[in-house]
Amino acid sequence: MSYDEGNIFARILRGEVPCKKIFENKEALAFHDAYPQAPVHALVIPKAAYQNVYEFYQNATPEQLKGFSEAIVNVIDLLGLKEYGYRMITNHGLYGGQEVPHFHVHLLGGKPLGRMVTVRD
Ligand code: 5GP
């Protein structure tokens, strides 16, 4: 399946939809999730058009990998997540529950988050 240029994160990257920005560099953008699942819920996305983590790791340039990693570290620092910890998640595809088909990681924290996954039937 090819990349959907109309997905909401592509629209945020083009400036068509607003976001609450946390950090930006040449390769990545970080912003607050619109429907937070924890007191702190940030999203970090690459600016390049990758649909999921598999595509990203398979195809990203060294600059893209470095820029994306740096964005994650900056968000952890800026949101004060390091001291008590946080959870970093990426969802891929149907079984992963991915809703937005532009690669992103979730950074969640601000309170104890409990066990890692709740699987519902
Ligand atoms: P996924 O389920 O694809 O891993 O996560 C997509 C995330 O994007 C969800 O946590 C959802 O709340 C968030 N989201 C969906 N639409 C918007 C939006 O327009 N703005 C922001 N900031 N987050 C969004």
Side-chain angles (χ1 to χ4, degrees), residues 14-91:
R14 289 196 297 269
E16 296 167 7
V17 172
C19 72
K20 286 195 204 164
K21 185 160 81 174
I22 301 164
F23 179 82
E24 181 173 14
N25 64 20
K26 189 166 164 282
E27 302 295 348
L29 175 68
F31 50 92
H32 292 281
D33 196 293
Y35 308 95
Q37 303 296 312
V40 177
H41 187 170
L43 299 168
V44 187
I45 69 175
K47 289 187 175 175
Y50 296 113
Q51 296 183 95
N52 53 57
V53 64
Y54 182 90
E55 273 193 10
F56 181 69
Y57 279 141
Q58 218 181 27
N59 300 299
T61 65
E63 290 74 22
Q64 289 170 346
L65 287 164
K66 188 162 181 284
F68 190 71
S69 306
E70 281 176 5
I72 290 173
V73 167
N74 273 279
V75 172
I76 290 166
D77 287 340
L78 287 167
L79 300 182
L81 291 171
K82 195 174 162 198
E83 184 177 1
Y84 291 104
Y86 54 90
R87 180 168 296 154
M88 188 166 99
I89 297 173
T90 188
N91 298 319

Side-chain angles (χ1 to χ4, degrees), residues 98-110:
Q98 183 178 7
E99 289 171 6
V100 179
H102 180 110
F103 170 48
H104 52 282
V105 300
H106 300 252
L107 285 168
L108 298 134

